[in-house]
Amino acid sequence: MRYYDLITPEGTKDLLFSECIVRRNIEDSLMALFRSMGFTEIITPGLEFYDVFNQNSEYFPQENMYKLTDNKGRLLVMRPDTTMPIARVVATRLKDAYLPLKFCYDQSVYRTEPALKGRSDEIVQAGIEIIGSGSRMADTEVIAAAAEALSGFGMNFSLELGHIGIFKELMSRLDASGKEKETIRTLIETKNFPALREAVAKISDSTLASQLEALPGLFGGEEVFAKARELFAGDASISALLDELEYSFHAASQLCGESGTITADLGLVNKTDYYTGLIIKGYLMGHGDEVISGGRYDKLLAEFGMDVPAVGFAVNVNAVEKVMVKTGNMPEMPKVDVLICAKEGFEVQALKKAAQMRREGKIVEIAVNNDMAEIEKYAKAKDITDIVTIDNNGGEQ
Amino acid sequence: MSKPIRIALTKGRLEKDTVGLLEKLGFDCTAVREKGRKLILPVPDANLEVVLAKANDVITYVEHGVCDMGVVGKDTIMEMGGKFFELVDLGFGRCKFALATKKGSDFYSGYGIKTIATKYPNVSRSFFEKKGMDTEIIKIEGSVELAPLLELADGIVDIVETGTTLKENGLEVIEDVAPISARLIVNTVSMKMRRDEIRNLIKLVEENL
């Protein structure tokens, strides 16, 4: 017990000095990008009712949410996600609003992660949502924003697209129990080829079996589409989904700039996702997990009583920050230009002088110590070269 | 030449088998064979860097992406879980998880809650959960066989290779839990960002298993 007053809970940390600047730079540049696209910011509460995240489809396992109770004993959670609260707001307060709504956000989400794994329980996510449009242009704009966000970090990146519809269509044709389907999904997600081969061997429809077996291997560049076309030849419904994805892929390739590559993966089939169509993942060289995650979620708002399509993505700001620090991609700390110290009785003049110099664009700090030797030591420690003393001459020394 | 692909190997038998496999592919593993106390070793002609680690750490390093690939037993994967691609069953390091009890005891009789001693609490828990059986699981660090002999536990869930240790201590396997072998795992981002290099290596490996 005794030392808990001196440390922070596991999975959280204090940020200091340049760490803060890196983080704020990332947030500021992302939000500036989103605002320049006409997205308006939304801020939702850090605390939500548990029920918001406990919909019929369990997107967030209860063991991964931080829970507490309000003064009436009702169960609350620290928001584990921002998309679902936005869906809640839109389906209630904005149900009569003119659609589409374009929102951006920049706030923390909280999830319990396994201990001692080096993961954060508090993650800042900055992202966008377009709510009330199922159009191809909405998908493409979101892809463009993701590509621009990634290239703004100044590192080599990869933007990956998938389409969960293909997997869902195949699953709807599979006559198997929920448990068996879940096994197959996990094996596709983890690209566990040997075990998947065994699992699909039990499927009587041999075409379907070979399609499911091939799905996790269908990732890479443009060649993925030729292979997929061959695999799903004559299959009208899946071909239509492939058309959609291929269009997005080509659009993304033209939008991603020089530092990025676009890839496709038909095996992106994560369990907790509420996605129904396009899936977007962003990767940075030097980070072992995705830094961008998003996609189309056309059924989520219906769970809150408003059946409209939507699409969006979020950037894991902590992850981007980690890569920047690791690769030495650090911004410089803004340096204090002038340290002003006031002789006794000249405090007001000193403060006025500081305000005037700040209007001229300088960073001006006031020395709060009276002893000149101490002030010089302080200036040295903070690497400030210019010290100005305000005394009865009103002048500078 | 681009940055080498880092592959974490589970120290010990899996490391030897993997090095054998790499040599079969025609790569010069002299540095790994004569490693001394070094933990990161180059295999220059394959543009690989071998990292030697304990089994659990192989998963940790691969999950974080500081190693692109890893060789680890299915036992560790089942116990630890994690986010990575589990691409290839390398076929070596074969053994199994099994449930063993004292010879002649009837494990499934009675309605009392059974106590299980194991080094693999997650594997044990999910095995009995699937059966809808409520059990008490006690984690043991050393020789798990002792627990039923000392009457701390009704049974054990452990890795069984030949079964000799069990036999010599009057225990017997009453049920197989899961087969085990070495797996080649890959970080989810490395798989995408270094696709061609990793795919080529995996193809070579699969052709030579």
Side-chain angles (χ1 to χ4, degrees), chain A residues 188-233:
Chain A
I188 292 176
E189 182 190 355
T190 55
K191 298 202 190 296
N192 191 334
F193 294 105
L196 181 61
R197 205 167 301 137
E198 266 172 46
V200 301
K202 292 172 204 141
I203 298 172
S204 52
D205 179 344
S206 65
T207 316
L208 183 58
S210 63
Q211 287 167 344
L212 283 170
E213 191 186 333
L215 210 56
L218 290 172
F219 69 96
E222 194 162 7
E223 73 284 356
V224 167
F225 292 99
K227 281 187 206 155
R229 300 272 179 205
E230 204 177 303
L231 186 68
F232 297 108

Side-chain angles (χ1 to χ4, degrees), chain A residues 117 119 160 190 219 265, chain B residues 63-64 83 86 192 199:
Chain A
K117 287 270 193 181
R119 300 205 193 119
E160 184 164 70
T190 55
F219 69 96
D265 186 353
Chain B
E63 260 200 310
H64 280 272
K83 186 179 174 187
E86 187 183 326
K192 305 298 170 56
R199 265 193 171 158

Side-chain angles (χ1 to χ4, degrees), chain A residues 223-287:
Chain A
E223 73 284 356
V224 167
F225 292 99
K227 281 187 206 155
R229 300 272 179 205
E230 204 177 303
L231 186 68
F232 297 108
D235 189 326
S237 45
I238 291 202
S239 293
L241 298 175
L242 282 172
D243 287 345
E244 264 181 51
L245 185 61
E246 196 169 2
Y247 173 84
S248 300
F249 183 89
H250 285 299
S253 308
Q254 293 167 57
L255 290 163
C256 78
E258 277 178 6
S259 54
T261 49
I262 304 297
T263 59
D265 186 353
L266 301 190
L268 293 177
V269 293
N270 295 358
K271 183 187 186 184
T272 50
D273 287 348
Y274 28 64
Y275 300 120
T276 53
L278 176 75
I279 291 180
I280 303 170
K281 301 261 178 213
Y283 310 113
L284 289 178
M285 192 62 105
H287 188 71

Side-chain angles (χ1 to χ4, degrees), chain A residues 179, chain B residues 107-108 110-114 123-137 175:
Chain A
K179 214 165 142 193
Chain B
F107 180 78
Y108 287 110
Y111 50 78
I113 286 185
K114 304 294 175 193
V123 172
S124 309
R125 193 174 296 123
S126 82
F127 175 67
F128 288 108
E129 264 174 17
K130 271 185 202 138
K131 290 174 174 280
M133 246 178 102
D134 205 1
T135 49
E136 183 172 43
I137 290 168
E175 206 172 333

